[in-house]
Amino acid sequence: DRALLQDAAVLGQSFSVAGLASVSGRGAADVEARLRALARREVVALITDPRSPERGSWMFGQALIREVAYGTLAKRERRARHLAAARYFEASEGPEVAGALAFHYLDAYRSAPEGPEGEAVAGQARIALRAAADRAAALGSHELALAYLESALEVTTDPAEEADLHLRAAAS
């Protein structure tokens, strides 16, 4: 149960069974059964509000539970789980997941930025952050686009790319 909660914590305060199954590497039926058992102990809850766009998803009963579950992960474990979450969101192929994808690649990079694997994750984070910034700007959310571009600067070392990001930020 602890490992499942740690996997869920990587996904955020709320999460889907499919996303959690993807990150944990378990079957959806097993994940669903474990979540129902955790719900009986009031650790997680099913979102049933018919007006909620997250209806049918699960959420932590308290934010503190999520924070503790996430905080007990070693950096290497965080990176692996964030990369698994990014792969799950990449498979969704919808433009609405651009922000979530960027978030997971950036957190994977922040978890362990050293070495060749860190450079590869930084490259993926840059691509995802630029796409998220483009999506936010297209929706008229220039403050969010600026935040994504500033995060992209965090994982950029090439001066030419930094200049391009500054130009994009200025445009937003």
Side-chain angles (χ1 to χ4, degrees):
D1 289 345
R2 182 183 314 147
L4 189 67
L5 290 173
Q6 289 173 325
D7 294 336
V10 168
L11 290 169
Q13 184 64 27
S14 63
F15 48 90
S16 68
V17 170
L20 185 52
S22 179
V23 171
S24 69
R26 303 169 191 249
D30 179 43
V31 167
E32 181 90 30
R34 287 180 167 280
L35 288 174
R36 293 204 181 280
L38 289 167
R40 285 191 290 278
R41 294 187 293 181
E42 298 181 359
V43 176
V44 297
L46 181 63
I47 301 172
T48 58
D49 183 355
R51 298 169 301 213
S52 174
E54 293 185 334
R55 184 176 183 211
S57 295
W58 291 83
M59 62 182 274
F60 282 93
Q62 296 179 2
L64 182 60
I65 295 171
R66 180 195 175 268
E67 289 177 32
V68 169
Y70 190 79
T72 59
L73 284 169
K75 287 186 176 188
R76 178 172 283 138
E77 292 172 328
R78 284 183 192 177
R79 176 191 275 186
R81 286 178 167 104
H82 277 295
L83 290 175
R87 285 189 295 274
Y88 168 73
F89 284 112
E90 279 179 335
S92 300
E93 294 186 16
E96 64 278 354
V97 299
L101 181 63
F103 165 79
H104 286 293
Y105 275 130
L106 184 60
D107 275 2
Y109 172 77
R110 286 177 176 160
S111 294
E114 299 86 26
E117 186 179 342
E119 289 302 315
V121 172
Q124 292 170 314
R126 281 192 299 274
I127 292 167
L129 286 162
R130 289 173 85 126
D134 291 344
R135 168 96 170 130
L139 294 174
S141 181
H142 295 287
E143 288 179 18
L144 184 58
L146 184 60
Y148 286 130
L149 292 167
E150 287 172 350
S151 294
L153 284 167
E154 180 183 328
V155 295
T156 303
T157 56
D158 178 33
E161 192 168 349
E162 285 178 2
D164 181 57
L165 290 171
H166 283 295
L167 287 173
R168 286 173 174 243
S172 282

